[in-house]
Amino acid sequence: MIFLLQDQNLIFTGALILMFMIALLEGVMTLIGVGISDLLDNLLPDFDVDVPDTGLSGGMTKMLGWLRFGEVPALILLVTFLVSFGVTGLVAQMLIESLVGYLLPGGLLAVAVFFLALPQVRFVGNIMRRFAVGDESEAVERNSFIGRVAIITIGKAEIGSPAEARFSDEYGTTHYVMVEPDESETFNQGDKVLLVEELGAHFRVTRPSSIHLMENN
């Protein structure tokens, strides 16, 4: 315990504590019907690793695609990174202390550990994509959400103030998205909305006009 709380190790111990807090929060939120994993995924844009490399943004997109963002739930990748970063850092400090008799400054070692943790995230991402997430043909792109009818779950959706909405796809997976109506409309918790356009992190919605559409969503 003393080893974990030494100043040089706090950054790595903190990563593991944050991981446990996220896992606990996910468990609590799932019990009340709000999955932060889906919510986090829907807040992130789609990543296309085939886009031309146009500088920093293109490089970042390729890096996130290499880590399997967009193919594996972002929460799993985040937890994997925190575990990899924390454990790798602490193990490295143990080895260094046994060899030279002292610990390296945490901030200095964290740079190297950060890059050592990335291949571990990709490794787990590859496994999750193949065995846990399911067949790639069942992956649902965000642009396929257009035309879905969702139910407002948290908040009041109005212009300039998106609210959370929920719907299930054909595979039975529940998705949470942030939705915002046009200026003339307001939706409250429990209202049904039709997703008509993707606007970055959220969707523009209108009131469903077809009873058939509402009954089949």
Side-chain angles (χ1 to χ4, degrees):
M1 181 62 73
I2 295 177
F3 176 80
L4 297 177
L5 298 179
Q6 295 194 60
D7 290 343
Q8 297 92 330
N9 292 334
L10 286 181
I11 187 171
F12 307 116
T13 304
L16 295 177
I17 292 174
L18 180 58
M19 181 274 295
F20 282 116
M21 293 176 65
I22 290 174
L24 179 62
L25 180 62
E26 170 68 359
V28 173
M29 297 293 280
T30 300
L31 288 177
I32 62 176
V34 181
I36 61 174
S37 179
D38 276 325
L39 184 59
L40 178 61
D41 286 332
N42 291 325
L43 290 176
L44 294 172
D46 289 334
F47 298 104
D48 183 358
V49 297
D50 296 325
V51 298
D53 190 345
T54 55
L56 181 60
S57 60
M60 180 62 70
T61 298
K62 286 186 176 296
M63 171 60 74
L64 294 175
W66 182 76
L67 293 173
R68 301 307 181 193
F69 270 87
E71 299 177 87
V72 173
L75 188 64
I76 291 178
L77 298 178
L78 175 60
V79 168
T80 301
F81 173 77
L82 292 173
V83 173
S84 302
F85 181 81
V87 172
T88 302
L90 293 173
V91 170
Q93 289 285 41
M94 287 181 185
L95 293 175
I96 292 169
E97 187 177 35
S98 65
L99 291 174
V100 300
Y102 58 86
L103 301 173
L104 287 182
L108 178 63
L109 184 60
V111 177
V113 172
F114 174 83
F115 289 103
L116 289 174
L118 294 182
Q120 300 176 60
V121 175
R122 176 177 167 79
F123 176 76
V124 173
N126 283 336
I127 293 176
M128 293 301 298
R129 186 181 64 158
R130 292 179 181 178
F131 301 109
V133 177
D135 190 89
E136 192 171 357
S137 63
E138 293 186 355
V140 178
E141 300 291 342
R142 276 175 61 85
N143 57 18
S144 70
F145 294 174
I146 305 301
R148 304 275 186 175
V149 173
I151 298 176
I152 302 292
T153 52
I154 297 178
K156 178 180 180 181
E158 55 189 351
I159 186 70
S161 180
E164 183 192 273
R166 181 190 66 218
F167 70 92
S168 297
D169 62 26
E170 59 270 33
Y171 305 111
T173 302
T174 301
H175 299 275
Y176 292 86
V177 295
M178 300 302 292
V179 300
E180 179 182 349
D182 290 330
E183 188 171 358
S184 58
E185 294 185 294
T186 299
F187 296 103
N188 297 306
Q189 186 173 347
D191 288 346
K192 290 188 174 182
V193 295
L194 176 66
L195 278 62
V196 296
E197 183 181 7
E198 183 178 359
L199 300 172
H202 63 274
F203 289 83
R204 186 171 68 84
V205 294
T206 63
R207 192 175 304 279
S209 57
S210 168
I211 296 178
H212 174 76
L213 187 62
M214 294 177 65
E215 290 178 346
N216 288 278
N217 278 273

